Amino acid sequence: MTAPHHTPDLFALSEIRGPVLRPGDDGYAEEVAGFNLAALHTPDVVVAAAGADDVVTAMRWASATGTPVAVQATGHGANFPIDHGLLISTARMTDVRIDPAERTATVAAGAKWSHVMAAGAPHGLAGLSGTSTDAGVVGYTLGGGLPVLGRAYGYTADRVRSFQVVTPDGVLHETDALHEPELFWALRGGKGNVGVVTSLVTDLLPLPRLLGGGIYCPGEHAEALLRAWVDWTRTVPDEMCSAFTILRLPPIPQIPEPLRGGFWARVALAWPGDPAEGEALIAPLRTVAPVAVDTVEEMDHAALDRIHIEPQDPLPARESSLLLRDLPPEALSTLLDQAGPTAADCPLLMVEVRHMGGALARPSAVEDAICARDALYIMETVGVLATPPAAEAIEQATAALHTTMAPWSTGRTMVNIHGTPGDESDRARAWTPEVYERLRHDKATYDPRNLLRHGHTVSPA
C-alpha cells in the first residue's frame, strides 16, 4: 500500500461525535481489533463513528487529505491488515428498526445479524443470515451474503431494497433500483469498492421456526457420509439446505463436549418447511454411518447459530473458498485424499462443501454483481494460525487442496470467503471478467483516486 506514514492534521475531525483515536491513545487497540485476529490493524487514525454524519465528515477529511480509508464493523471478514491511513469503525452504529407491515428492517452499518434476529423475532420475521449471527449485516451483504437458507430464499443481497452510502468525495447517497441504479448494482456483491454504507433496508421473511442442526459421525466414516450426501443432494427439494464438513476440532473449552478435540464428519441441515417432511427427507443420512451426535431439532430462527456451531470468540484464522460446478466421484476421491481420514497430518480446522443451486442459481429480480449462480457447490476451508509453523502448513494445505480441486471449479470464489486477497488476477476471481470490468469502471466513477483500497478491492479502470 502507498499511504503516508504521517497523520495529517486532524482539526477537521473535531466535529465528529464518536471517538477519534491515534496510536497510543487509550482505547485504540480495542477499537481496531476485529474478530479475525490474523489481521492486526495499525491505522494512523481511527474514527469510531456514532452515526452517518460522522462517516460523511471522515470521508470528506480523507478526500481533502488524500488519506486511504478502510471500514470495519465486527471484523469477521478481516483478512488483510490495515496499515496507516484512516479506519472508520462502525461498531457503535447498531440501530435496527423493524417495519412489520412492510416486512423490512432498516439496519445501521455496525449492526450484527443477532441484532436483526432479536428485533424481528417478536414479529415472527427474520433476515437471511449466514452461519454466524455474530457477523455484521452490512459487510456480509455487500459481499452478496450466502445464507444458511440460501437454497430456499437466495442471496441476502437479493433482498436489499436500498442503501444509504457515503462515497469517497464525502457525499451521502440514497440509492435503490430506481435512484442511482449503477451504484445500487455495485453495492450488491461488489463489496466495499464504491463507498461506505451507513445503513440498508432489507426484506425480512416470516420465518419464526425451522428444522436444523447437525448429524455427526466419527471422522473415519467421512467417505461414506460424503458420497451418500452428494447423491442425496441431487434428490432433495430446493428448500433443503445442507453442507458436508470435515472437522478437526482442538481440545479447547470453547468447543462443547463430546465434540471437543475430535475428528468428525458432519452434515449440517436447515429446512424451513414442515418439520415432519424435513425429518423424512433427512432420515436416509442417518443410516449411512454410525451417528455419534445428532442435534437436528425444531428451533427458533434466532437460534440459527446452533446449526453450524461456529467459534464464538475471536481467533486468528485463514479461510478460502472455491466455487464448484459439480462433484463427480473422482472429485470426492481427490477431496478425501487431501482432507479425509487418510490425510492424518491435514492442518485445516474445517473443510466444508455447501450445497448451492436452488434459489441461489436464479437471477435476482434486480441485476447485481454476484457471480456464483452457476455453482452447484462451494468448498470452504478454515485453518487456525496459532503459530508460524501452523500458518505455513495451513497455507500449503489450502493451496494444495485448491490446486487439486481446480478441474471441477468454475474458476471463481465468493468475495466474502475468498480469503487473503492477492494480486489483481487473484482478486478478480470473485467475479466474472465482465462484472469485474464493470466494477472497475464504477470504481473510476465513484473512487477514482482509489481511497477505498484496503481488503478485497478492485483498481479503477
Side-chain angles (χ1 to χ4, degrees):
M1 178 174 39
T2 57
H5 285 231
H6 65 283
T7 305
D9 177 58
L10 300 182
F11 178 77
L13 298 178
S14 60
E15 62 190 77
I16 285 178
R17 292 181 292 125
V20 178
L21 304 170
R22 287 178 285 187
D25 289 347
D26 290 342
Y28 172 91
E30 292 78 11
E31 200 67 50
V32 302
F35 189 88
N36 188 352
L37 302 180
L40 300 177
H41 304 319
T42 56
D44 295 317
V45 59
V46 184
V47 168
D53 51 346
D54 282 356
V55 177
V56 169
T57 301
M59 291 298 283
R60 286 176 179 170
W61 174 81
S63 179
T65 58
T67 302
V69 180
V71 187
Q72 178 167 278
T74 67
H76 274 76
N79 50 41
F80 192 99
I82 298 162
D83 57 335
H84 308 296
L86 166 66
L87 172 63
I88 298 175
S89 169
T90 62
R92 288 166 174 74
M93 299 169 61
T94 58
D95 183 60
V96 176
R97 289 180 285 115
I98 305 295
D99 185 331
E102 286 291 317
R103 291 181 177 174
T104 62
T106 301
V107 185
K112 300 178 180 182
W113 279 111
S114 58
H115 298 140
V116 176
M117 297 301 190
H123 309 285
L125 299 173
L128 290 178
S129 167
T131 54
S132 172
T133 63
D134 190 60
V137 174
V138 167
Y140 166 88
T141 304
L142 291 176
L146 180 57
V148 171
L149 291 172
R151 278 178 48 81
Y153 300 108
Y155 294 96
T156 305
D158 295 345
R159 301 280 172 170
V160 175
R161 293 195 182 188
S162 64
F163 292 98
Q164 185 183 76
V165 57
V166 183
T167 45
D169 56 3
V171 175
L172 182 67
H173 301 253
E174 300 276 354
T175 177
D176 57 26
L178 299 177
H179 304 90
E180 297 193 77
E182 188 65 19
L183 183 60
F184 188 60
W185 173 86
L187 290 169
R188 292 177 306 123
K191 206 55 180 175
N193 272 289
V194 292
V196 178
V197 170
T198 57
S199 69
L200 60 79
V201 178
T202 185
D203 288 330
L204 300 179
L205 296 167
L207 289 171
R209 305 276 293 171
L210 76 157
L211 182 73
I215 296 171
Y216 294 78
C217 298
E220 57 264 31
H221 299 286
E223 179 171 1
L225 187 59
L226 173 59
R227 293 188 186 278
W229 173 76
V230 170
D231 289 341
W232 176 82
T233 61
R234 303 186 194 285
T235 68
V236 296
D238 290 352
E239 292 75 22
M240 180 59 75
C241 308
S242 65
F244 170 86
T245 315
I246 295 173
L247 293 161
R248 289 175 166 86
L249 300 176
I252 58 176
Q254 292 88 337
I255 296 172
E257 291 285 7
L259 300 176
R260 186 181 304 160
F263 172 43
W264 302 98
R266 177 190 72 189
V267 175
L269 298 144
W271 167 260
D274 176 69
E277 184 182 353
E279 286 284 5
L281 288 166
I282 292 167
L285 294 175
R286 294 190 169 108
T287 66
V288 173
V291 177
V293 179
D294 190 334
T295 66
V296 177
E297 61 180 352
E298 287 187 66
M299 62 177 68
D300 291 339
H301 195 275
L304 202 70
D305 289 338
R306 282 155 45 192
I307 296 176
H308 284 258
I309 317 180
E310 295 216 347
Q312 298 299 304
D313 299 313
L315 76 169
R318 163 75 159 95
E319 65 178 348
S320 66
S321 70
L322 192 65
L323 290 163
L324 303 169
R325 295 188 309 274
D326 203 353
L327 279 174
E330 56 269 31
L332 301 183
S333 297
T334 300
L335 177 63
L336 290 163
D337 287 345
Q338 294 286 323
T342 60
D345 59 347
C346 178
L348 299 173
L349 172 75
M350 180 189 91
V351 177
E352 181 165 280
V353 181
R354 194 184 308 192
H355 190 199
M356 303 280 278
L360 296 170
R362 299 175 199 137
S364 174
V366 177
E367 186 186 20
D368 58 30
I370 296 171
C371 296
R373 300 183 194 273
D374 58 342
L376 193 53
Y377 302 92
I378 184 171
M379 181 184 73
E380 181 183 2
T381 63
V382 177
V384 178
L385 311 176
T387 63
E392 183 178 356
I394 287 165
E395 289 294 335
Q396 292 174 350
T398 300
L401 185 56
H402 279 239
T403 299
T404 55
M405 293 298 291
W408 302 283
S409 167
T410 67
R412 292 190 299 280
T413 67
M414 287 200 73
V415 61
N416 276 350
I417 47 178
H418 176 95
T420 304
D423 59 16
E424 185 171 354
S425 62
D426 179 65
R427 294 167 188 241
R429 292 190 302 122
W431 301 282
T432 62
E434 296 78 16
V435 168
Y436 181 69
E437 283 305 310
R438 184 171 169 182
L439 282 172
R440 291 189 65 222
H441 281 279
D442 289 345
K443 181 80 167 178
T445 299
Y446 293 103
D447 187 18
R449 291 189 293 163
N450 200 21
L451 295 184
L452 295 165
R453 69 183 68 156
H454 296 277
H456 199 133
T457 55
V458 306
S459 57

